[in-house]
Amino acid sequence: MSMAHRVLRRYPRTTINRSREVAQKFDYLLVMDFEATCERHEVLKPQEIIEIPCAVLSTHDWQLKDMFHTYVRPRVHPTLTPFCTELTGIMQETVDDQPYFADVFPRFCEWLTKGGYLDESERSSFVTCGNWDLKTMLPSQCDLDGIALPDQFKQWIDLKYTFCESVGYYPKGLRDMLVRLNLPLKGRLHSGIDDVKNMVSIILALKERYNTQFKITSSLTTSAINSSSYEHTGVARSVAKKKHVIVC
């Protein structure tokens, strides 16, 4: 059975009246894509996040409202491999003068809170391309730095699953979705900030052409959950660290 068939069995394609715009479940889509340390023929242990971009897309007018972007200095493997630079375009000097993740992540959470994107009255969801960012990389990084993973990062929208539900084809990745939708590539692949911009283009195309409803697909307990049983309960008010609490 193909991946598309498995996705569509789990998510039966919703019959939508194309003449009437579907109601969205979230006020804001927080589109993000991590880049991490890597090597060509092996998985670094541990991998470390070296770029955090996040675009805030309003589902009321479908305009970008805000953008967070920073590079992160890796602590365990401070020297980027040639393959990592080749893949991501991130140079060694780009990360050398950046703060470590333990300093960046609280600032990211503070930015989300100050923007009102985590208010209970302004429902939001993260959107990623695949499950790796929030299912694997962020929990691993938080564990490495002794940070308790905030609840709001424990469920998200996998854009590839949403694409499959709308189009009926499970994409191989970001470029595949762009090609299928006949959208131009902005910047370069595996640049976190460029990947986020391309994901926003895909989201807008799905909304315009397929009247797509963006709903939770994934969580830490499963790679794809039944969105009909999902109930939004708001987001955590603080990010707890093992030694102290960072109020968001």
Side-chain angles (χ1 to χ4, degrees):
M1 183 183 297
S2 70
M3 177 62 78
H5 283 108
R6 289 198 294 271
V7 171
L8 291 173
R9 281 186 65 183
R10 186 180 291 268
Y11 297 98
R13 198 182 305 177
T14 304
T15 301
I16 297 174
N17 182 352
R18 302 294 178 186
S19 64
R20 183 176 182 180
E21 186 170 351
V22 67
Q24 294 297 328
K25 291 181 174 292
F26 300 102
D27 296 316
Y28 295 110
L29 300 179
L30 309 175
V31 187
M32 66 188 307
D33 184 83
F34 298 137
E35 297 302 326
T37 53
C38 55
E39 182 56 284
R40 187 181 301 274
H41 297 301
E42 63 179 290
V43 177
L44 292 181
K45 295 183 179 180
Q47 279 191 288
E48 297 173 85
I49 293 172
I50 56 175
E51 185 181 6
I52 303 177
C54 181
V56 179
L57 181 65
S58 168
T59 62
H60 295 289
D61 58 9
W62 297 99
Q63 297 295 312
L64 281 177
K65 296 300 182 184
D66 213 341
M67 177 76 77
F68 180 93
H69 182 226
T70 187
Y71 294 100
V72 184
R73 183 180 179 184
R75 178 167 57 85
V76 179
H77 301 289
T79 302
L80 302 183
T81 65
F83 173 73
C84 184
T85 295
E86 176 187 344
L87 182 70
T88 66
I90 299 174
M91 307 295 290
Q92 184 66 46
E93 54 267 30
T94 302
V95 299
D96 278 344
D97 62 349
Q98 297 299 311
Y100 293 118
F101 180 83
D103 298 314
V104 170
F105 191 59
R107 182 159 57 89
F108 177 43
C109 292
E110 181 182 10
W111 173 81
L112 288 167
T113 302
K114 284 186 175 180
Y117 310 125
L118 299 184
D119 289 349
E120 290 185 13
S121 61
E122 302 288 350
R123 299 172 302 164
S124 303
S125 176
F126 289 104
V127 182
T128 60
C129 184
N131 291 311
W132 174 84
D133 299 82
L134 294 181
K135 192 175 182 68
T136 301
M137 191 62 244
L138 185 60
S140 173
Q141 183 73 64
C142 285
D143 185 63
L144 178 66
D145 285 304
I147 300 173
L149 184 66
D151 288 342
Q152 60 263 44
F153 292 91
K154 293 181 180 179
Q155 51 197 1
W156 59 92
I157 299 169
D158 177 358
L159 187 56
K160 293 198 292 184
Y161 272 84
T162 302
F163 180 95
C164 182
E165 185 183 22
S166 297
V167 179
Y169 165 81
Y170 190 82
K172 299 179 180 68
L174 189 60
R175 184 192 292 275
D176 199 12
M177 288 188 282
L178 292 171
V179 171
R180 291 273 172 172
L181 294 172
N182 195 28
L183 296 172
L185 172 67
K186 297 178 180 178
R188 59 176 292 161
L189 291 173
H190 303 298
S191 159
I193 188 65
D194 289 343
D195 285 352
V196 162
K197 292 175 182 177
N198 285 301
M199 289 166 65
V200 168
S201 294
I202 292 166
I203 290 169
L204 294 176
L206 291 177
K207 179 264 176 186
E208 181 66 26
R209 302 178 196 179
Y210 295 93
N211 201 14
T212 297
Q213 184 184 63
F214 295 90
K215 53 196 175 185
I216 294 294
T217 66
S218 308
S219 74
L220 281 182
T221 56
T222 179
S223 61
I225 63 176
N226 186 343
S227 58
S228 64
S229 65
Y230 169 71
E231 295 182 1
H232 188 85
T233 57
V235 295
R237 288 297 185 181
S238 64
V239 179
K241 293 189 71 174
K242 290 181 179 178
K243 292 186 178 180
H244 62 281
V245 173
I246 303 167
V247 178
C248 293

